[in-house]
């Protein structure tokens, strides 16, 4: 029967493309109002020495720094208050997921990010405690709206990246202790050009032997259907060369990155 199906599908040219590598199935889709249930707010002063006052969940809702529509979660900084010199920082919002993830694919569907002087939007994965022993993976990061996006790993000493690796981005530094950074080649991966283009999708695949990242802008013609349609199953093998590729060839990721062997992916919008 398998052979018959194979011949039939060859004849009809309907054979599914060959699949190598793991299948990921959707475990969590955090969209619109569910951000309030799946994320924890960080009501702390900014320990990265920025002038921000991260509000708690109630305050962020009261000040309308967070609000939702059925398919959108908006998170923003206060942009109307004239601050006192030397006074409290600007009210803003910093959140983290209540769940932890091991081997996984994460997809971030973003329509708009803060832009302009003094802004520092970021998406990163780290252990809630013990930084940087648990490793830090920055998927989206930049300051003052300066394009393009910069992805990075941060580790304790001893983890480096090979200079020559299969990625479309440009390595800026290969020593992960100070941060091994990869600059994205697309200008619209960050800041005002990202926003005027309608945003896009950032994706991360995190495994024991590598970390890969991709980006598709909203108008790209090569957005995989699994990304555009938020499918229940996906294979990263069909996504093409990653923008950033961090193999474990000269970095034993085990001591640096706390991951184990289960496969999930989440869609965040
Ligand atoms: C700073 O954030 C805290 C926690 O949400 C809030 O109670 C406080 O009012 C904020 N500070 C100012 C000056 O708004
Ligand atoms: C919050 O801000 C949004 C966008 O500016 C606005 O549409 C909405 O009405 C505001 N909500 C409240 C409760 O003020
Ligand atoms: C980079 O790696 C590729 C594939 O492994 C190889 O073909 C190429 O020669 C390498 N380039 C340099 C400059 O080492
Ligand atoms: C890379 O990961 C694989 C799979 O977990 C492992 O077998 C290998 O020892 C790792 N390589 C290094 C240098 O840590």
């Amino acid at each position: 029967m398998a052979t018959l199906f194979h011949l039939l599908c060859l004849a009809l040219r309907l054979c599914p493309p060959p699949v190598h590598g793991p299948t990921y199935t959707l475990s969590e889709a955090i969209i619109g109002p569910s951000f309030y249930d799946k994320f924890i707010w960080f009501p702390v002063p900014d320990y990265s020495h920025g002038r921000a006052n991260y509000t708690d969940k109630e305050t962020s809702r009261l000040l309308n720094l967070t609000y939702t529509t059925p398919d959108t979660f908006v998170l923003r900084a206060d942009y109307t208050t004239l601050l006192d010199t030397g006074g409290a920082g600007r009210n803003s919002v910093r959140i983290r997921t209540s769940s932890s993830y091991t081997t996984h694919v994460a997809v971030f569907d973003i329509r708009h990010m803060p832009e302009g002087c003094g802004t520092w939007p970021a998406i990163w994965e780290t252990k809630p405690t013990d930084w940087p022993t648990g490793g830090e993976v920055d998927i989206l990061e930049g300051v003052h709206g300066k394009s393009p996006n910069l992805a990075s790993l941060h580790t304790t000493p001893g983890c480096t990246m090979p200079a020559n690796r299969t990625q479309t981005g440009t390595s800026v530094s290969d020593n992960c202790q100070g941060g091994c950074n990869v600059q994205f080649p697309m200008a619209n991966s960050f800041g005002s050009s990202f926003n005027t283009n309608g945003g896009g999708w950032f994706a991360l695949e995190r495994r024991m032997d590598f970390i890969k990242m991709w980006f598709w802008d909203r108008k790209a013609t090569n957005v995989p259907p699994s990304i555009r349609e938020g499918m229940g199953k996906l294979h990263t093998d069909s996504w093409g060369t990653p923008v950033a590729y961090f193999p474990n060839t000269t970095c034993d990721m085990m001591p640096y990155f706390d991951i184990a062997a289960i496969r999930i992916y989440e869609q965040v919008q």
Side-chain angles (χ1 to χ4, degrees), residues 37-215:
D37 306 323
K38 302 282 190 154
F39 278 82
I40 294 167
W41 268 236
F42 261 76
V44 292
D46 188 355
Y47 47 80
S48 304
H49 312 297
R51 275 195 73 198
N53 178 52
Y54 293 114
T55 53
D56 57 35
K57 197 187 282 185
E58 290 64 37
T59 308
S60 80
R61 295 182 87 151
L62 195 70
L63 300 176
N64 207 13
L65 300 181
T66 57
Y67 64 94
T68 65
T69 69
D71 71 347
T72 314
F73 174 74
V74 176
L75 167 164
R76 58 186 178 177
D78 165 46
Y79 61 96
T80 55
T81 308
L82 190 60
L83 297 180
D84 277 345
T85 316
R90 185 165 297 284
N91 281 335
S92 184
V93 186
R94 173 181 171 142
I95 59 177
R96 72 168 169 85
T97 54
S98 40
S99 309
S100 302
Y101 307 94
T102 53
T103 296
H104 66 282
V105 169
V107 179
F108 304 89
D109 183 348
I110 303 168
R111 290 197 196 131
H112 189 279
M113 65 172 78
E115 62 174 83
C117 194
T119 58
W120 185 357
I123 296 177
W124 72 103
E125 292 189 349
T126 187
K127 267 173 78 172
T129 55
D130 259 2
W131 188 92
T133 312
E136 176 185 321
V137 181
D138 298 313
I139 302 135
L140 185 165
E141 186 168 28
V143 292
H144 308 312
K146 200 167 152 246
S147 172
N149 185 51
L150 202 66
S152 320
L153 305 189
H154 293 275
T155 65
T156 45
C159 171
T160 59
M161 287 297 131
N164 179 17
R165 49 199 213 261
T166 311
Q167 60 182 14
T168 61
T170 307
S171 298
V172 180
S173 158
D174 291 328
N175 184 342
C176 302
Q177 183 186 2
C180 38
N181 312 315
V182 175
Q183 187 174 303
F184 282 33
M186 313 86 166
N188 59 14
S189 58
F190 198 84
S192 68
S193 50
F194 174 88
N195 292 336
T196 52
N197 199 45
W201 295 267
F202 289 87
L204 164 84
E205 181 180 17
R206 189 160 172 182
R207 305 181 55 77
M208 211 93 85
D209 46 348
F210 63 75
I211 292 171
K212 290 180 182 174
M213 298 179 196
W214 290 264
F215 171 72

